[in-house]
Amino acid sequence: MIGVLRQTAVYRAGVSGRRPRVPTDAAGLEGRARKAMPREAFAYIAGGAGTGATIRANREGFDRRRIVPRMLRDVSGRDSGIELLGRRLASPFLLSPVGVLEMAHEEADLAVARAASAEGVPMIFSNQASKPMEACAAAMGQGPRWFQLYWSTSNDLVESFVGRAEACGCEAIVVTLDTTLLGWRTQDLDLAYLPFLRGKGIAQYTSDPVFRRIIATEPAQLGPDEQPKPTPAALRTLVQLTRAYPERFVNGLRSGHARAAVQTFTRIYSRPSLSWEDLPFLRERTKLPILLKGILHPDDAARAVDEGMDGVIVSNHGGRQVDGATSTIEALPGIARAVDGRVPIVLDSGVRSGADAFKALALGATAVGIGRPYAYALAIAGEAGVRELLQNLKADFDLTLGLSGCRSVAEIGPEALTEPASGPFATPR
Ligand SMILES: Cc1cc2nc3c(=O)[nH]c(=O)nc-3n(C[C@H](O)[C@H](O)[C@H](O)COP(=O)(O)O)c2cc1C
C-alpha cells in the first residue's frame, strides 16, 4: 500500500511547509539536475548518440501504448511485488548500472548503494563505477546487488572482476553487449570531454589486483602523437586523475601510476571482437546467473537462452549507443515471444514512471531498470534524493496497478493495453 502511504507523507509534510526533495515528475527532475551539475557532467549523463532519436523513441514508445483501466474489481489489497531469479522483491524496479556517478555527487555509488538497500531495490554495480564494488557491498548489508561486466580484452581481468563480484555477494552477472565501442555521443564530443581520461569511473580497475599487475608488467606505450601537449589544461587533468587514483597524491605524481592506469584502461576495457563463442568462458567460471544486456532482437534473445544464459536485459543503453535504434518497449513483445517465459526479461531505457513499468510488465517484462533518473536524484539530494525517487516510483506503480484494476503483477497482461497508436485514436484490444 506504499502508494497511499507515500502520497499521505508528501501531502502531510506540505501542511508543515515542506516540499519533496526531488521533483516527482521526470522532466522536472531532469531540469533540477541540470542546474545542480557542471555542464560536462550533465551532458555526459543526459546525452545520447547522434541526434538523440533513440532517446526520444524510448519515450514515444511508452507514450504510444495506453493503459485501459478496468473498474469495480476490489483493489483494496494490492501486492506490487515480483519474483526475480529466486528472490522476492517488493517492486519491479532495479537500478541499471550507471558509471561515473562521481559526476553527479561525491558519494557517488556509495550513496546509491545505501539508498537502494534501504528501499530493497537491487542495485547493479557498474563496471565503470566511481567506488569499488567492495565498498558498495559493505554499505548495503543484505540488500540485493548484481555486477555489470564490460568484457575486457584481458580474460584474466574478466575473471578477477567476476570473482570479486561473487565475494561481494552479487546475485547475478550482467554482461553489457552494446558498448564494445563507444557510441557517437555528440554532446560529449562537442565539449571534448570523456570522464575516463580524467581518471573518473575507473575505480573497479584501480582496485583490482589483476589490473594493477597489468599496469606494472605491460605498461601502455604512447606514440609521439598520443602524448598530451603540456598545456595548463593537460596539467589540470593530470592533477585530477592523480587525485582520483587510490594512492597518496605526491606518490601518485611520482610513480606515474595514475596516468598509467588511465592509459591501460583505455587499451583494455572493451573487446569489440566479442562473440557468442566467448560466452562459455564466463559460463564455466561462475555459478551466478548471467544476464545479457543490450538485447533488441528476438533471435538474439532466443540464442541467449539456448546458450544457457539466465536472463536478458532489453536495453538500448538509454539511447547512448546507436542513434536510431529501436525503442525497447517496441522490441519487447517480439523478444517476449522468443523467450517464451524460459528466463526473466528486464527492460530499461526510457522508464520514468509507474505507468511505464506497468506497460513493460504487460508486454512480457519481469522487471524494469532505471538509469538517468537516479543519477539526477543523486545530483540533487544525494542518498536522500535517491531514496525519495525510489519511494516515488514504487508508490506510483502501486497506484497505477490498483487504479488499472489489478491486485498483483500476475494480473497485468497485454489486454490491459491498447494497440500502439499510430494516429490520435487508440483502440482497446
Ligand atoms: C551516465 C550513464 C552511464 C551509464 N553507464 C553504464 C555502464 O557503466 N554500464 C552499463 O551497462 N550501462 C550503463 N548505462 C546504461 C544504463 O545501464 C541503462 O541502460 C540506461 O541508462 C537506461 O536508460 P535511461 O537512462 O533512459 O533510464 C549508463 C547510462 C548513463 C546515463
Side-chain angles (χ1 to χ4, degrees):
M1 307 308 129
I2 167 138
V4 178
L5 291 175
R6 176 78 191 129
Q7 270 175 331
T8 310
V10 170
Y11 292 134
R12 282 231 176 95
V15 174
S16 324
R18 266 182 294 131
R19 294 258 177 88
R21 281 192 179 86
V22 297
T24 53
D25 151 76
L29 184 72
E30 181 173 318
R32 279 273 289 284
R34 180 195 286 267
K35 291 193 192 123
M37 266 186 274
R39 192 161 67 132
E40 283 85 358
F42 182 77
Y44 182 74
I45 295 171
T51 63
T54 296
I55 296 183
R56 290 190 297 279
N58 284 335
R59 287 307 316 151
E60 285 159 11
F62 279 111
D63 289 344
R64 271 207 301 276
R65 308 260 177 184
R66 301 277 152 84
I67 300 166
V68 189
R70 301 298 304 271
M71 300 297 135
L72 295 173
R73 286 185 163 183
D74 182 2
V75 292
S76 55
R78 296 177 304 282
D79 175 5
S80 44
I82 60 157
E83 180 106 21
L84 181 59
L85 299 176
R87 210 190 230 270
R88 178 93 197 141
L89 298 170
S91 81
F93 297 101
L94 275 77
L95 295 184
S96 284
V98 168
V100 210
L101 285 171
E102 68 205 87
M103 298 185 83
H105 192 276
E106 60 176 10
E107 288 174 28
D109 311 77
L110 290 177
V112 174
R114 287 192 291 263
S117 171
E119 293 302 323
V121 172
M123 174 176 181
I124 308 179
F125 297 156
S126 164
N127 204 146
Q128 300 312 131
S130 297
K131 306 282 179 187
M133 61 181 109
E134 288 80 5
C136 292
M140 290 189 82
Q142 297 303 309
R145 67 212 74 148
W146 299 0
F147 174 70
Q148 174 262 320
L149 175 78
Y150 280 133
W151 203 308
S152 158
T153 52
S154 161
N155 269 347
D156 287 350
L157 185 59
V158 168
E159 213 172 334
S160 178
F161 281 155
V162 171
R164 288 171 60 196
E166 287 181 350
C168 280
C170 292
E171 295 173 10
I173 303 291
V174 169
V175 187
T176 297
L177 305 176
D178 58 19
T179 313
T180 54
L181 305 160
L182 203 61
W184 184 250
R185 299 186 185 162
T186 46
Q187 299 197 37
D188 298 335
L189 288 162
D190 286 347
L191 293 169
Y193 188 88
L194 187 65
F196 314 111
L197 298 188
R198 290 155 198 256
K200 296 182 197 293
I202 60 170
Q204 309 292 22
Y205 300 80
T206 53
S207 58
D208 191 277
V210 170
F211 184 77
R212 282 173 169 255
R213 196 189 68 216
I214 295 172
I215 298 179
T217 55
E218 306 164 35
Q221 301 293 342
L222 287 192
D225 298 346
E226 293 170 301
Q227 298 287 356
K229 299 249 171 340
T231 59
L235 201 64
R236 274 198 300 277
T237 303
L238 178 65
V239 169
Q240 248 180 35
L241 63 89
T242 306
R243 276 215 186 99
Y245 194 76
E247 191 172 64
R248 283 193 43 213
F249 182 71
V250 180
N251 295 355
L253 268 186
R254 219 179 282 136
S255 70
H257 285 156
R259 194 148 54 154
V262 169
Q263 286 159 3
T264 305
F265 161 77
T266 314
R267 187 164 59 84
I268 70 169
Y269 83 96
S270 102
R271 186 191 294 210
S273 70
L274 199 67
S275 74
W276 292 100
E277 282 65 46
D278 291 305
L279 294 180
F281 175 88
L282 194 60
R283 184 69 290 170
E284 286 156 19
R285 278 162 184 79
T286 182
K287 292 215 164 37
L288 291 178
I290 303 173
L291 294 92
L292 299 185
K293 178 170 185 273
I295 298 292
L296 291 169
H297 196 290
D299 293 353
D300 285 347
R303 177 132 187 214
V305 181
D306 294 344
E307 301 281 345
M309 300 293 110
D310 303 281
V312 294
I313 303 189
V314 179
S315 173
N316 55 33
H317 215 101
R320 297 163 73 77
Q321 286 297 92
V322 175
D323 190 25
T326 178
S327 76
T328 51
I329 196 76
E330 270 172 310
L332 179 62
I335 290 174
R337 269 194 301 279
V339 167
D340 197 21
R342 288 174 294 167
V343 297
I345 300 174
V346 179
L347 174 141
D348 78 14
S349 301
V351 177
R352 297 291 176 266
S353 68
D356 295 341
F358 184 97
K359 292 173 186 178
L361 266 49
L363 295 174
T366 316
V368 293
I370 303 293
R372 294 182 184 88
Y374 81 84
Y376 294 151
L378 177 69
I380 297 167
E383 177 186 341
V386 179
R387 253 193 105 162
E388 246 189 52
L389 173 87
L390 296 177
Q391 288 167 358
N392 292 344
L393 286 169
K394 289 195 288 188
D396 183 8
F397 179 71
D398 172 48
L399 294 172
T400 305
L401 185 78
L403 289 170
S404 302
C406 301
R407 278 165 300 212
S408 72
V409 164
E411 291 181 9
I412 309 176
E415 67 286 347
L417 302 188
T418 59
E419 291 288 352
S422 46
F425 303 109
T427 48
R429 282 166 195 269

